[in-house]
Amino acid sequence: MSEVETEQSKKVFFRTFGCQMNEYDTGKMRAQLESDGYVATDSPEEADVIVVNTCSIRDKAEQKMHSALGEYRRMKKEGQPVTIAVAGCVAQQEGQTLLDRYKDLDLVFGPDGIPQVRNLVRAARTTGRVLDTDYLDLDNYPFVSDLDPASKGKVGAFVTIQKGCDNNCTFCIVPTTRGKEASRPWDEIVDESRRLVDTGVKEITLIGQNVNSYGLKNPGDIPFAELLYKISDIEGVERIRYTTSHPRDVTDELIQAYADLPKLTSQLHLPVQSGSNRVLRRMRRYYTRERFLDIVAGLKKARPDLVLSTDIICGFPGETDEDFEQTLQLMDEVGFVSSFSFKYSPRPGTPALKMTGKRGEGVAPEVAQERLVRWQTMQRESSAAWAKSLEGGVHDVLVEGWSKHDAGVVCGRTSQFAMVNFPGDLSLVGKTVPVQVTRAFTNSVRGERVSQA
Ligand code: SAH
Ligand code: SF4
Ligand code: F3S
């Protein structure tokens, strides 16, 4: 058998935790390993290589990776000749500690190892255990351009526009796990978006940890708002989303883009974290609640039907009942249509850890829990009111595929990112059709196709 045939029989299994960056990175690893003769598999039992792409954002996320790893190590102990790799944010954070702790682990590499994944896997399979947590040079950072084979036939796709994060929010581990920020050259972003459109993609989501600080670092780079105009100019791109943006870096030009670019969708995820200026200062977010509300007002002026979602942290060290009331009030003022909300989780090496530990400012877990429940209750009410307001209206829905629950029903999203289910078939996938909303449910709405909006 030739070497190529041997390699072709190799299978790789990916398990991905964490955010859109990790999901995207897994796709890039899949592309690179497939070009090295691997085939991706859905079952870890038949894998020759298992890659666990990990997240470290909260303690719970980190624990999930340890239990997943336990499962795969057991399979190896029971005789499966598998190479086990830990990639991503926990790998970057823990490095050698992981290799020391798990003797049957073969490979540990951080996010900057992804462009070299082929070499790393080869080395781990031939020469033994490998650790790679070096950060790459930021000049000419090698953003991987191969397309994720799994994105074929999909209606929407992610495109990364930057790596790392230069902010220093006091609660956050990301600057440690992903390193300094670098913007990807805009022509590479446009090129990848074009190639995705050629495979049938209609909606491009630009991703990064702080997308709207794109292009601010090097002379000659274009700012984020300008990048949006370039993507909008691509024929075949029908919708543009982006995540995650930071309130600090929302510029007038970005707001103007909502007035100018119909392809830019009417939904924005803008994490506020807290409604209290005192807490925002201690988090080092560099905006006030007043500035946040100004931004929201500006955006709604530019795009009256814009809806917002956000992230909230409950129980940040030193957060008082009064501070938290201000966060709740923000819900009344903005009416977020959805949110991710978390209890503060102390992370290694972050400035907020000192506030919790040495300075004893930690919020009791039961208080944080109670605040979380209060926020989530308000969120449910706000989401339900919004969903209800859609009833009777006709909305353009970009169809994604079969609905998860009912036969003969397809699903898709409106520009505001509402999930709509309506009777239809797969010939509609990738098309945008007008649908009248008939009934609102908790996480989706039901509708009927109509002939025009
Ligand atoms: N770059 C994005 C957020 C990335 S992390 C931004 O700046 O908005 C996603 C979310 O996880 C954050 O918005 C925050 O709400 C939450 N998060 C981050 N660190 C956390 C921690 N230590 N404890 C609890 N939640 C945290
Ligand atoms: Fe973390 Fe702040 Fe960077 Fe977001 S902007 S990734 S919260 S440091
Ligand atoms: Fe998690 Fe790393 Fe993303 S810590 S949230 S996978 S950047």
Side-chain angles (χ1 to χ4, degrees), residues 84-129:
I84 303 182
V86 174
C89 291
V90 183
Q92 184 66 36
Q93 179 193 307
E94 297 298 318
Q96 184 64 41
T97 313
L98 282 173
L99 286 173
D100 292 344
R101 176 165 169 187
Y102 300 121
K103 298 292 176 208
D104 42 9
L105 192 56
D106 303 286
L107 170 60
V108 172
F109 62 103
D112 274 17
I114 284 164
Q116 344 287 342
V117 68
R118 279 179 286 225
N119 292 341
L120 291 171
V121 168
R122 261 187 236 144
R125 287 175 67 78
T126 51
T127 54
R129 311 180 80 203

mmCIF file of all heavy atoms in Angstrom, residues 84-129:
data_model
loop_
_atom_site.group_PDB
_atom_site.id
_atom_site.type_symbol
_atom_site.label_atom_id
_atom_site.label_comp_id
_atom_site.label_asym_id
_atom_site.label_seq_id
_atom_site.Cartn_x
_atom_site.Cartn_y
_atom_site.Cartn_z
ATOM 1 N N ILE A 84 -4.333 11.444 20.995
ATOM 2 C CA ILE A 84 -5.250 12.419 21.603
ATOM 3 C C ILE A 84 -4.589 13.792 21.702
ATOM 4 O O ILE A 84 -3.478 13.920 22.231
ATOM 5 C CB ILE A 84 -5.721 11.960 23.002
ATOM 6 C CG1 ILE A 84 -6.384 10.584 22.915
ATOM 7 C CG2 ILE A 84 -6.700 12.981 23.598
ATOM 8 C CD1 ILE A 84 -6.928 10.075 24.237
ATOM 9 N N ALA A 85 -5.286 14.791 21.157
ATOM 10 C CA ALA A 85 -4.757 16.159 21.170
ATOM 11 C C ALA A 85 -5.715 17.086 21.903
ATOM 12 O O ALA A 85 -6.929 16.979 21.755
ATOM 13 C CB ALA A 85 -4.572 16.655 19.735
ATOM 14 N N VAL A 86 -5.156 17.998 22.691
ATOM 15 C CA VAL A 86 -5.961 19.068 23.286
ATOM 16 C C VAL A 86 -5.523 20.375 22.633
ATOM 17 O O VAL A 86 -4.338 20.722 22.658
ATOM 18 C CB VAL A 86 -5.788 19.143 24.814
ATOM 19 C CG1 VAL A 86 -6.528 20.354 25.380
ATOM 20 C CG2 VAL A 86 -6.311 17.870 25.479
ATOM 21 N N ALA A 87 -6.498 21.071 22.028
ATOM 22 C CA ALA A 87 -6.198 22.320 21.339
ATOM 23 C C ALA A 87 -6.969 23.454 22.011
ATOM 24 O O ALA A 87 -7.753 23.225 22.928
ATOM 25 C CB ALA A 87 -6.621 22.196 19.877
ATOM 26 N N GLY A 88 -6.747 24.661 21.552
ATOM 27 C CA GLY A 88 -7.586 25.783 21.981
ATOM 28 C C GLY A 88 -7.152 26.448 23.271
ATOM 29 O O GLY A 88 -5.986 26.401 23.672
ATOM 30 N N CYS A 89 -8.119 27.063 23.936
ATOM 31 C CA CYS A 89 -7.815 28.013 25.014
ATOM 32 C C CYS A 89 -7.304 27.364 26.293
ATOM 33 O O CYS A 89 -6.417 27.913 26.938
ATOM 34 C CB CYS A 89 -9.021 28.905 25.255
ATOM 35 S SG CYS A 89 -9.300 30.041 23.861
ATOM 36 N N VAL A 90 -7.845 26.198 26.680
ATOM 37 C CA VAL A 90 -7.306 25.545 27.891
ATOM 38 C C VAL A 90 -5.892 25.046 27.598
ATOM 39 O O VAL A 90 -5.004 25.113 28.458
ATOM 40 C CB VAL A 90 -8.201 24.380 28.381
ATOM 41 C CG1 VAL A 90 -7.635 23.782 29.665
ATOM 42 C CG2 VAL A 90 -9.627 24.852 28.614
ATOM 43 N N ALA A 91 -5.671 24.568 26.392
ATOM 44 C CA ALA A 91 -4.345 24.092 26.001
ATOM 45 C C ALA A 91 -3.325 25.219 26.128
ATOM 46 O O ALA A 91 -2.229 25.033 26.674
ATOM 47 C CB ALA A 91 -4.375 23.563 24.572
ATOM 48 N N GLN A 92 -3.699 26.404 25.650
ATOM 49 C CA GLN A 92 -2.791 27.535 25.723
ATOM 50 C C GLN A 92 -2.529 27.920 27.180
ATOM 51 O O GLN A 92 -1.404 28.213 27.576
ATOM 52 C CB GLN A 92 -3.395 28.739 24.972
ATOM 53 C CG GLN A 92 -2.489 29.944 24.900
ATOM 54 C CD GLN A 92 -1.246 29.680 24.063
ATOM 55 O OE1 GLN A 92 -1.309 28.966 23.058
ATOM 56 N NE2 GLN A 92 -0.115 30.216 24.477
ATOM 57 N N GLN A 93 -3.591 27.896 27.969
ATOM 58 C CA GLN A 93 -3.498 28.325 29.366
ATOM 59 C C GLN A 93 -2.696 27.330 30.210
ATOM 60 O O GLN A 93 -1.883 27.720 31.023
ATOM 61 C CB GLN A 93 -4.924 28.455 29.898
ATOM 62 C CG GLN A 93 -5.072 28.872 31.324
ATOM 63 C CD GLN A 93 -6.521 28.648 31.766
ATOM 64 O OE1 GLN A 93 -7.458 29.111 31.139
ATOM 65 N NE2 GLN A 93 -6.698 27.912 32.836
ATOM 66 N N GLU A 94 -2.933 26.047 30.016
ATOM 67 C CA GLU A 94 -2.337 25.033 30.897
ATOM 68 C C GLU A 94 -1.057 24.417 30.342
ATOM 69 O O GLU A 94 -0.210 23.963 31.095
ATOM 70 C CB GLU A 94 -3.358 23.925 31.189
ATOM 71 C CG GLU A 94 -4.589 24.411 31.947
ATOM 72 C CD GLU A 94 -4.251 24.976 33.317
ATOM 73 O OE1 GLU A 94 -3.406 24.367 34.012
ATOM 74 O OE2 GLU A 94 -4.798 26.027 33.689
ATOM 75 N N GLY A 95 -0.929 24.332 29.024
ATOM 76 C CA GLY A 95 0.289 23.833 28.388
ATOM 77 C C GLY A 95 0.842 22.559 28.993
ATOM 78 O O GLY A 95 0.165 21.543 29.085
ATOM 79 N N GLN A 96 2.093 22.643 29.450
ATOM 80 C CA GLN A 96 2.816 21.483 29.989
ATOM 81 C C GLN A 96 2.063 20.809 31.142
ATOM 82 O O GLN A 96 2.138 19.589 31.310
ATOM 83 C CB GLN A 96 4.210 21.945 30.458
ATOM 84 C CG GLN A 96 5.127 20.827 30.954
ATOM 85 C CD GLN A 96 5.486 19.822 29.852
ATOM 86 O OE1 GLN A 96 5.739 20.198 28.710
ATOM 87 N NE2 GLN A 96 5.489 18.529 30.196
ATOM 88 N N THR A 97 1.332 21.609 31.917
ATOM 89 C CA THR A 97 0.581 21.046 33.056
ATOM 90 C C THR A 97 -0.343 19.924 32.581
ATOM 91 O O THR A 97 -0.509 18.910 33.272
ATOM 92 C CB THR A 97 -0.276 22.163 33.715
ATOM 93 O OG1 THR A 97 0.553 23.290 33.880
ATOM 94 C CG2 THR A 97 -0.858 21.742 35.037
ATOM 95 N N LEU A 98 -0.940 20.105 31.402
ATOM 96 C CA LEU A 98 -1.843 19.073 30.878
ATOM 97 C C LEU A 98 -1.072 17.797 30.541
ATOM 98 O O LEU A 98 -1.494 16.685 30.851
ATOM 99 C CB LEU A 98 -2.560 19.566 29.619
ATOM 100 C CG LEU A 98 -3.733 20.524 29.819
ATOM 101 C CD1 LEU A 98 -4.218 21.041 28.470
ATOM 102 C CD2 LEU A 98 -4.882 19.820 30.553
ATOM 103 N N LEU A 99 0.105 17.979 29.917
ATOM 104 C CA LEU A 99 0.923 16.804 29.560
ATOM 105 C C LEU A 99 1.406 16.084 30.828
ATOM 106 O O LEU A 99 1.474 14.858 30.867
ATOM 107 C CB LEU A 99 2.125 17.224 28.706
ATOM 108 C CG LEU A 99 1.814 17.597 27.251
ATOM 109 C CD1 LEU A 99 3.060 18.145 26.568
ATOM 110 C CD2 LEU A 99 1.255 16.420 26.460
ATOM 111 N N ASP A 100 1.727 16.880 31.855
ATOM 112 C CA ASP A 100 2.180 16.272 33.111
ATOM 113 C C ASP A 100 1.047 15.507 33.780
ATOM 114 O O ASP A 100 1.238 14.436 34.334
ATOM 115 C CB ASP A 100 2.684 17.348 34.086
ATOM 116 C CG ASP A 100 3.969 18.003 33.596
ATOM 117 O OD1 ASP A 100 4.608 17.418 32.685
ATOM 118 O OD2 ASP A 100 4.318 19.097 34.089
ATOM 119 N N ARG A 101 -0.139 16.098 33.705
ATOM 120 C CA ARG A 101 -1.259 15.488 34.407
ATOM 121 C C ARG A 101 -1.790 14.240 33.694
ATOM 122 O O ARG A 101 -2.180 13.272 34.349
ATOM 123 C CB ARG A 101 -2.373 16.538 34.536
ATOM 124 C CG ARG A 101 -3.631 16.010 35.155
ATOM 125 C CD ARG A 101 -4.532 17.145 35.577
ATOM 126 N NE ARG A 101 -5.852 16.650 35.926
ATOM 127 C CZ ARG A 101 -6.890 17.413 36.207
ATOM 128 N NH1 ARG A 101 -6.759 18.723 36.189
ATOM 129 N NH2 ARG A 101 -8.052 16.890 36.515
ATOM 130 N N TYR A 102 -1.821 14.277 32.353
ATOM 131 C CA TYR A 102 -2.380 13.147 31.585
ATOM 132 C C TYR A 102 -1.265 12.509 30.761
ATOM 133 O O TYR A 102 -0.904 13.008 29.702
ATOM 134 C CB TYR A 102 -3.499 13.633 30.667
ATOM 135 C CG TYR A 102 -4.654 14.269 31.400
ATOM 136 C CD1 TYR A 102 -5.018 15.595 31.128
ATOM 137 C CD2 TYR A 102 -5.396 13.557 32.348
ATOM 138 C CE1 TYR A 102 -6.090 16.184 31.794
ATOM 139 C CE2 TYR A 102 -6.463 14.138 33.011
ATOM 140 C CZ TYR A 102 -6.808 15.454 32.733
ATOM 141 O OH TYR A 102 -7.862 16.038 33.390
ATOM 142 N N LYS A 103 -0.764 11.380 31.261
ATOM 143 C CA LYS A 103 0.413 10.766 30.629
ATOM 144 C C LYS A 103 0.103 10.175 29.250
ATOM 145 O O LYS A 103 1.012 9.905 28.456
ATOM 146 C CB LYS A 103 0.987 9.659 31.537
ATOM 147 C CG LYS A 103 1.480 10.176 32.884
ATOM 148 C CD LYS A 103 2.719 11.065 32.711
ATOM 149 C CE LYS A 103 3.149 11.669 34.045
ATOM 150 N NZ LYS A 103 3.823 12.950 33.902
ATOM 151 N N ASP A 104 -1.172 9.920 28.993
ATOM 152 C CA ASP A 104 -1.524 9.339 27.690
ATOM 153 C C ASP A 104 -1.965 10.397 26.670
ATOM 154 O O ASP A 104 -2.453 10.081 25.592
ATOM 155 C CB ASP A 104 -2.626 8.281 27.863
ATOM 156 C CG ASP A 104 -3.687 8.740 28.841
ATOM 157 O OD1 ASP A 104 -3.654 9.928 29.238
ATOM 158 O OD2 ASP A 104 -4.548 7.921 29.212
ATOM 159 N N LEU A 105 -1.769 11.651 27.023
ATOM 160 C CA LEU A 105 -2.081 12.733 26.084
ATOM 161 C C LEU A 105 -0.880 12.899 25.149
ATOM 162 O O LEU A 105 0.260 12.871 25.591
ATOM 163 C CB LEU A 105 -2.297 14.006 26.917
ATOM 164 C CG LEU A 105 -2.901 15.227 26.256
ATOM 165 C CD1 LEU A 105 -4.241 14.896 25.639
ATOM 166 C CD2 LEU A 105 -3.072 16.328 27.309
ATOM 167 N N ASP A 106 -1.153 13.064 23.814
ATOM 168 C CA ASP A 106 -0.048 13.085 22.855
ATOM 169 C C ASP A 106 0.336 14.486 22.393
ATOM 170 O O ASP A 106 1.466 14.723 21.994
ATOM 171 C CB ASP A 106 -0.440 12.267 21.618
ATOM 172 C CG ASP A 106 -0.800 10.854 21.995
ATOM 173 O OD1 ASP A 106 0.119 10.090 22.301
ATOM 174 O OD2 ASP A 106 -2.009 10.527 22.037
ATOM 175 N N LEU A 107 -0.643 15.386 22.405
ATOM 176 C CA LEU A 107 -0.383 16.674 21.774
ATOM 177 C C LEU A 107 -1.196 17.774 22.455
ATOM 178 O O LEU A 107 -2.391 17.602 22.710
ATOM 179 C CB LEU A 107 -0.782 16.551 20.286
ATOM 180 C CG LEU A 107 -0.847 17.800 19.432
ATOM 181 C CD1 LEU A 107 0.501 18.497 19.372
ATOM 182 C CD2 LEU A 107 -1.295 17.434 18.006
ATOM 183 N N VAL A 108 -0.533 18.882 22.750
ATOM 184 C CA VAL A 108 -1.199 20.053 23.338
ATOM 185 C C VAL A 108 -0.765 21.271 22.538
ATOM 186 O O VAL A 108 0.427 21.525 22.402
ATOM 187 C CB VAL A 108 -0.794 20.215 24.828
ATOM 188 C CG1 VAL A 108 -1.318 21.535 25.384
ATOM 189 C CG2 VAL A 108 -1.318 19.050 25.674
ATOM 190 N N PHE A 109 -1.738 21.992 21.979
ATOM 191 C CA PHE A 109 -1.359 23.212 21.247
ATOM 192 C C PHE A 109 -2.451 24.273 21.346
ATOM 193 O O PHE A 109 -3.637 23.979 21.377
ATOM 194 C CB PHE A 109 -1.025 22.920 19.779
ATOM 195 C CG PHE A 109 -2.157 22.352 18.961
ATOM 196 C CD1 PHE A 109 -2.860 23.162 18.070
ATOM 197 C CD2 PHE A 109 -2.512 21.021 19.068
ATOM 198 C CE1 PHE A 109 -3.894 22.641 17.296
ATOM 199 C CE2 PHE A 109 -3.547 20.493 18.309
ATOM 200 C CZ PHE A 109 -4.239 21.294 17.423
ATOM 201 N N GLY A 110 -2.003 25.524 21.400
ATOM 202 C CA GLY A 110 -2.926 26.650 21.540
ATOM 203 C C GLY A 110 -3.455 27.115 20.191
ATOM 204 O O GLY A 110 -3.096 26.561 19.146
ATOM 205 N N PRO A 111 -4.306 28.153 20.198
ATOM 206 C CA PRO A 111 -4.908 28.661 18.959
ATOM 207 C C PRO A 111 -3.871 29.024 17.891
ATOM 208 O O PRO A 111 -4.133 28.863 16.703
ATOM 209 C CB PRO A 111 -5.682 29.895 19.413
ATOM 210 C CG PRO A 111 -6.018 29.614 20.851
ATOM 211 C CD PRO A 111 -4.855 28.845 21.392
ATOM 212 N N ASP A 112 -2.688 29.491 18.296
ATOM 213 C CA ASP A 112 -1.678 29.847 17.292
ATOM 214 C C ASP A 112 -1.023 28.622 16.654
ATOM 215 O O ASP A 112 -0.252 28.748 15.705
ATOM 216 C CB ASP A 112 -0.601 30.760 17.905
ATOM 217 C CG ASP A 112 -1.016 32.227 17.862
ATOM 218 O OD1 ASP A 112 -2.222 32.496 17.675
ATOM 219 O OD2 ASP A 112 -0.138 33.107 18.017
ATOM 220 N N GLY A 113 -1.328 27.430 17.176
ATOM 221 C CA GLY A 113 -0.788 26.210 16.565
ATOM 222 C C GLY A 113 -1.622 25.745 15.376
ATOM 223 O O GLY A 113 -1.185 24.882 14.595
ATOM 224 N N ILE A 114 -2.807 26.317 15.218
ATOM 225 C CA ILE A 114 -3.733 25.810 14.200
ATOM 226 C C ILE A 114 -3.187 25.848 12.762
ATOM 227 O O ILE A 114 -3.332 24.885 12.025
ATOM 228 C CB ILE A 114 -5.108 26.491 14.353
ATOM 229 C CG1 ILE A 114 -5.771 25.833 15.571
ATOM 230 C CG2 ILE A 114 -5.996 26.335 13.120
ATOM 231 C CD1 ILE A 114 -6.926 26.535 16.156
ATOM 232 N N PRO A 115 -2.493 26.938 12.380
ATOM 233 C CA PRO A 115 -1.931 26.914 11.023
ATOM 234 C C PRO A 115 -0.914 25.777 10.803
ATOM 235 O O PRO A 115 -0.647 25.399 9.663
ATOM 236 C CB PRO A 115 -1.234 28.282 10.912
ATOM 237 C CG PRO A 115 -1.913 29.145 11.933
ATOM 238 C CD PRO A 115 -2.299 28.232 13.043
ATOM 239 N N GLN A 116 -0.369 25.222 11.904
ATOM 240 C CA GLN A 116 0.617 24.122 11.754
ATOM 241 C C GLN A 116 0.022 22.766 12.125
ATOM 242 O O GLN A 116 0.769 21.838 12.431
ATOM 243 C CB GLN A 116 1.842 24.288 12.657
ATOM 244 C CG GLN A 116 2.089 25.627 13.267
ATOM 245 C CD GLN A 116 2.581 26.577 12.225
ATOM 246 O OE1 GLN A 116 3.028 26.129 11.169
ATOM 247 N NE2 GLN A 116 2.480 27.849 12.473
ATOM 248 N N VAL A 117 -1.305 22.651 12.151
ATOM 249 C CA VAL A 117 -1.875 21.428 12.732
ATOM 250 C C VAL A 117 -1.386 20.145 12.046
ATOM 251 O O VAL A 117 -1.180 19.119 12.689
ATOM 252 C CB VAL A 117 -3.429 21.509 12.788
ATOM 253 C CG1 VAL A 117 -4.045 21.476 11.401
ATOM 254 C CG2 VAL A 117 -3.994 20.409 13.668
ATOM 255 N N ARG A 118 -1.146 20.204 10.739
ATOM 256 C CA ARG A 118 -0.676 19.002 10.033
ATOM 257 C C ARG A 118 0.652 18.516 10.604
ATOM 258 O O ARG A 118 0.821 17.345 10.920
ATOM 259 C CB ARG A 118 -0.507 19.283 8.535
ATOM 260 C CG ARG A 118 -1.809 19.204 7.779
ATOM 261 C CD ARG A 118 -1.586 19.516 6.340
ATOM 262 N NE ARG A 118 -1.354 20.960 6.199
ATOM 263 C CZ ARG A 118 -1.917 21.717 5.267
ATOM 264 N NH1 ARG A 118 -2.684 21.184 4.349
ATOM 265 N NH2 ARG A 118 -1.686 23.002 5.210
ATOM 266 N N ASN A 119 1.602 19.462 10.734
ATOM 267 C CA ASN A 119 2.922 19.094 11.273
ATOM 268 C C ASN A 119 2.821 18.611 12.700
ATOM 269 O O ASN A 119 3.495 17.666 13.102
ATOM 270 C CB ASN A 119 3.877 20.290 11.243
ATOM 271 C CG ASN A 119 4.227 20.651 9.822
ATOM 272 O OD1 ASN A 119 4.052 19.825 8.919
ATOM 273 N ND2 ASN A 119 4.688 21.869 9.613
ATOM 274 N N LEU A 120 1.984 19.278 13.481
ATOM 275 C CA LEU A 120 1.877 18.917 14.891
ATOM 276 C C LEU A 120 1.341 17.501 15.042
ATOM 277 O O LEU A 120 1.859 16.702 15.826
ATOM 278 C CB LEU A 120 0.971 19.920 15.632
ATOM 279 C CG LEU A 120 1.542 21.331 15.790
ATOM 280 C CD1 LEU A 120 0.487 22.295 16.323
ATOM 281 C CD2 LEU A 120 2.753 21.319 16.726
ATOM 282 N N VAL A 121 0.306 17.173 14.281
ATOM 283 C CA VAL A 121 -0.277 15.827 14.373
ATOM 284 C C VAL A 121 0.738 14.789 13.873
ATOM 285 O O VAL A 121 0.937 13.744 14.495
ATOM 286 C CB VAL A 121 -1.610 15.738 13.590
ATOM 287 C CG1 VAL A 121 -2.078 14.296 13.438
ATOM 288 C CG2 VAL A 121 -2.687 16.567 14.307
ATOM 289 N N ARG A 122 1.398 15.117 12.773
ATOM 290 C CA ARG A 122 2.418 14.179 12.251
ATOM 291 C C ARG A 122 3.481 13.913 13.307
ATOM 292 O O ARG A 122 3.847 12.770 13.572
ATOM 293 C CB ARG A 122 3.083 14.757 11.004
ATOM 294 C CG ARG A 122 2.493 14.189 9.734
ATOM 295 C CD ARG A 122 3.305 14.657 8.539
ATOM 296 N NE ARG A 122 2.418 15.320 7.605
ATOM 297 C CZ ARG A 122 2.723 16.364 6.865
ATOM 298 N NH1 ARG A 122 3.926 16.907 6.954
ATOM 299 N NH2 ARG A 122 1.853 16.889 6.050
ATOM 300 N N ALA A 123 3.959 15.000 13.924
ATOM 301 C CA ALA A 123 5.023 14.849 14.928
ATOM 302 C C ALA A 123 4.532 14.020 16.106
ATOM 303 O O ALA A 123 5.238 13.139 16.602
ATOM 304 C CB ALA A 123 5.504 16.218 15.390
ATOM 305 N N ALA A 124 3.311 14.286 16.548
ATOM 306 C CA ALA A 124 2.784 13.551 17.701
ATOM 307 C C ALA A 124 2.629 12.064 17.370
ATOM 308 O O ALA A 124 2.763 11.210 18.246
ATOM 309 C CB ALA A 124 1.453 14.142 18.130
ATOM 310 N N ARG A 125 2.359 11.747 16.117
ATOM 311 C CA ARG A 125 2.153 10.344 15.733
ATOM 312 C C ARG A 125 3.459 9.622 15.428
ATOM 313 O O ARG A 125 3.498 8.402 15.375
ATOM 314 C CB ARG A 125 1.206 10.247 14.530
ATOM 315 C CG ARG A 125 -0.240 10.556 14.934
ATOM 316 C CD ARG A 125 -1.176 10.583 13.760
ATOM 317 N NE ARG A 125 -1.372 9.282 13.128
ATOM 318 C CZ ARG A 125 -2.155 8.326 13.603
ATOM 319 N NH1 ARG A 125 -2.802 8.504 14.728
ATOM 320 N NH2 ARG A 125 -2.284 7.184 12.944
ATOM 321 N N THR A 126 4.510 10.389 15.199
ATOM 322 C CA THR A 126 5.769 9.722 14.867
ATOM 323 C C THR A 126 6.827 9.859 15.971
ATOM 324 O O THR A 126 7.366 8.865 16.444
ATOM 325 C CB THR A 126 6.347 10.259 13.540
ATOM 326 O OG1 THR A 126 6.374 11.679 13.616
ATOM 327 C CG2 THR A 126 5.521 9.819 12.349
ATOM 328 N N THR A 127 7.050 11.099 16.412
ATOM 329 C CA THR A 127 8.180 11.258 17.338
ATOM 330 C C THR A 127 7.787 11.303 18.808
ATOM 331 O O THR A 127 8.630 11.352 19.673
ATOM 332 C CB THR A 127 8.981 12.535 16.997
ATOM 333 O OG1 THR A 127 8.056 13.624 16.986
ATOM 334 C CG2 THR A 127 9.670 12.441 15.670
ATOM 335 N N GLY A 128 6.500 11.347 19.119
ATOM 336 C CA GLY A 128 6.121 11.339 20.533
ATOM 337 C C GLY A 128 5.384 12.580 20.962
ATOM 338 O O GLY A 128 4.890 13.334 20.130
ATOM 339 N N ARG A 129 5.330 12.811 22.268
ATOM 340 C CA ARG A 129 4.475 13.859 22.817
ATOM 341 C C ARG A 129 4.948 15.260 22.417
ATOM 342 O O ARG A 129 6.136 15.548 22.444
ATOM 343 C CB ARG A 129 4.448 13.727 24.337
ATOM 344 C CG ARG A 129 4.155 12.303 24.771
ATOM 345 C CD ARG A 129 4.122 12.189 26.259
ATOM 346 N NE ARG A 129 2.848 12.635 26.789
ATOM 347 C CZ ARG A 129 2.672 13.060 28.024
ATOM 348 N NH1 ARG A 129 3.691 13.156 28.844
ATOM 349 N NH2 ARG A 129 1.478 13.410 28.437
#
